[in-house]
Amino acid sequence: MPASVVDTLTFRPGEIILYPGVPDPRDKLYQVREGLVRIQSVDDEGNALTLRFVRPGEYFGEEALAGIERIYFAEAATLTKVDELNPALLSPEETVELTVHLVSAISESYRTIQRLVSQRLKNRIAAALLTFADTPLATQDKAGNPVVHVTHDEIAAAVGSVRETVTKVIGELAREGYIRSGYGKVALINLKGLRELAHRQA
Amino acid sequence: MPASVVDTLTFRPGEIILYPGVPDPRDKLYQVREGLVRIQSVDDEGNALTLRFVRPGEYFGEEALAGIERIYFAEAATLTKVDELNPALLSPEETVELTVHLVSAISESYRTIQRLVSQRLKNRIAAALLTFADTPLATQDKAGNPVVHVTHDEIAAAVGSVRETVTKVIGELAREGYIRSGYGKVALINLKGLRELAHRQA
């Protein structure tokens, strides 16, 4: 185990790992070992907005390194194990890994901004379903199609919309044969079509 | 001069410093010395979208560190000097500085995403004008008010909208006494009011 690891913590789905606020000088950096962490803000009306997913091997809580106010909650999306790291004890290899992850997170944010500006909700939902399929929230059905275990509320948070609107678009995608929608899960039965939707502008 | 500095380059306003694409292994990292760099993408219809401003002391071209595809142009917004850095020769202090900057860039992106999801265009324009006021694009009028030297196209790129719509909202902000609008410039005459607008959720 690297010298930087202070502790390993386990969280159940929905448990909060970090709260918004100004980081304390003793705050740690976190690396996901297993599971999935959702970086999410909540507005004054209680609408959640997912800013990033943190997958195994990736880092979060990076504001501790910069003394910058954290404007989100970090929440376990599945049963999740995270390593608590002492930033002062990162090895050169870990520092490089962290830099690569931060650069990827910036690039991912830019794509989110581009989608919000240039794409319709239907295309953004297609993109979000494909993102979910690439996380531990996904299983496979008998035909080998990815099945993502998410609620319409969770999809709404991922695309910056509300449940009612998402439910309408999910119905549309199901009628058009892109997905099969069940309670708390969505099977992606036309991946090629969803990828086309996800890349199309406005 | 730090050992990492390979060269110092000067760019005139509007000159492109970096193009989109997969970074070459020999690509450099850049740090702004003087001026301002605009990180901007352009969609298939030619609409520009400003993803970030890079101010003196801050870095860009960080995809070179991660081998990640660059999805933007880096363009000089004013007369700009940048240091070309060899990432392999960064000192520990420069590495820390870079990390702090990357963390800030992520945090700034999150605020952009939140604004796009939760704010009306008018509030986003107020926020963009205040951001411009904090860059070398701003001067002061005789009364000490910040004057930002930007076109309506540049404001549109900063908020993910189009010129025609921005012109309408700028007119509204002027009538309401928040700003005074001239050719290629906007004077911020009610900073307190603009800050309130910028922080309000739709």
Side-chain angles (χ1 to χ4, degrees):
Chain A
M1 188 175 291
S4 57
V5 177
V6 177
D7 203 354
T8 299
L9 308 168
T10 303
F11 296 91
R12 280 162 310 182
E15 272 193 285
I16 303 294
I17 305 170
L18 286 176
Y19 288 84
V22 177
D24 186 278
R26 289 161 305 180
D27 272 8
K28 299 292 180 284
L29 178 70
Y30 296 86
Q31 186 174 26
V32 177
R33 286 181 73 160
E34 291 169 26
L36 185 70
V37 172
R38 193 185 271 128
I39 301 297
Q40 189 154 283
S41 67
V42 177
D43 73 13
D44 297 348
E45 275 87 49
N47 299 307
L49 174 63
T50 304
L51 297 163
R52 171 166 122 228
F53 284 104
V54 192
R55 297 178 182 82
E58 297 180 339
Y59 297 83
F60 65 100
E62 66 273 2
E63 314 71 37
L65 304 171
I68 289 174
E69 186 186 354
R70 188 182 303 125
I71 58 173
Y72 61 79
F73 293 87
E75 178 191 283
T78 63
L79 185 67
T80 296
K81 278 191 185 174
V82 304
D83 282 344
E84 226 183 4
L85 308 179
N86 182 342
L89 297 180
L90 291 183
S91 68
E93 293 72 29
E94 286 175 309
T95 303
V96 170
E97 251 184 47
L98 172 67
T99 302
V100 170
H101 173 64
L102 296 178
V103 173
S104 307
I106 293 174
S107 189
E108 212 178 299
S109 291
Y110 286 170
R111 288 195 194 271
T112 302
I113 293 170
Q114 290 175 330
R115 287 188 192 291
L116 281 168
V117 167
S118 70
Q119 287 193 321
R120 288 172 198 277
L121 184 62
K122 186 172 169 180
N123 305 77
R124 274 151 48 207
I125 289 179
L129 292 173
L130 291 167
T131 300
F132 284 127
D134 194 30
T135 72
L137 291 169
T139 56
Q140 287 201 335
D141 66 13
K142 283 173 194 161
N145 297 311
V147 178
V148 298
H149 297 264
V150 291
T151 65
H152 291 189
D153 267 323
E154 287 167 333
I155 300 172
V159 296
S161 182
V162 293
R163 194 187 60 227
E164 295 72 10
T165 319
V166 165
T167 297
K168 199 167 143 275
V169 176
I170 286 289
E172 204 179 307
L173 288 170
R175 278 194 304 280
E176 292 169 359
Y178 290 104
I179 58 170
R180 206 159 23 228
S181 174
Y183 182 73
K185 62 183 181 185
V186 178
L188 314 191
I189 57 176
N190 177 358
L191 278 176
K192 188 163 168 283
L194 285 167
R195 286 198 194 104
E196 276 168 19
L197 271 185
H199 287 102
R200 200 178 302 158
Q201 287 185 344
Chain B
M1 187 175 293
S4 58
V5 177
V6 177
D7 204 353
T8 299
L9 309 169
T10 303
F11 296 91
R12 281 163 310 183
E15 271 194 285
I16 303 294
I17 306 171
L18 286 176
Y19 288 84
V22 176
D24 184 278
R26 289 160 305 180
D27 273 8
K28 301 290 179 286
L29 178 71
Y30 296 86
Q31 186 174 28
V32 177
R33 285 182 75 159
E34 292 170 24
L36 185 69
V37 172
R38 193 184 272 129
I39 300 297
Q40 189 153 282
S41 66
V42 178
D43 72 13
D44 298 346
E45 276 87 49
N47 298 306
L49 174 64
T50 304
L51 297 162
R52 171 166 123 227
F53 284 105
V54 192
R55 297 179 182 82
E58 297 180 339
Y59 297 83
F60 66 101
E62 66 274 1
E63 315 70 36
L65 304 171
I68 289 174
E69 186 186 354
R70 189 183 300 123
I71 56 172
Y72 61 79
F73 294 85
E75 178 191 282
T78 64
L79 185 69
T80 297
K81 278 192 185 175
V82 304
D83 281 345
E84 226 184 2
L85 308 180
N86 181 342
L89 297 180
L90 291 182
S91 68
E93 293 72 28
E94 286 176 308
T95 303
V96 169
E97 252 185 45
L98 173 66
T99 302
V100 169
H101 172 64
L102 296 178
V103 173
S104 307
I106 294 174
S107 190
E108 214 178 295
S109 291
Y110 286 170
R111 289 195 195 271
T112 302
I113 294 170
Q114 289 175 330
R115 286 189 193 289
L116 282 169
V117 168
S118 70
Q119 286 193 322
R120 287 172 198 278
L121 185 61
K122 185 171 171 180
N123 305 77
R124 274 152 47 206
I125 289 179
L129 292 173
L130 291 166
T131 300
F132 285 125
D134 192 29
T135 73
L137 292 169
T139 57
Q140 286 201 337
D141 67 12
K142 283 172 193 161
N145 297 311
V147 178
V148 297
H149 297 263
V150 291
T151 64
H152 290 188
D153 267 322
E154 288 167 333
I155 300 172
V159 297
S161 183
V162 292
R163 194 188 61 228
E164 296 73 10
T165 319
V166 165
T167 297
K168 198 167 145 273
V169 176
I170 286 289
E172 202 179 309
L173 289 169
R175 278 194 305 279
E176 293 168 359
Y178 291 106
I179 59 171
R180 201 155 32 224
S181 175
Y183 182 73
K185 63 183 180 183
V186 178
L188 314 191
I189 56 177
N190 177 359
L191 279 175
K192 187 163 169 283
L194 284 168
R195 286 197 194 105
E196 277 169 17
L197 271 185
H199 286 101
R200 199 179 303 157
Q201 286 184 345

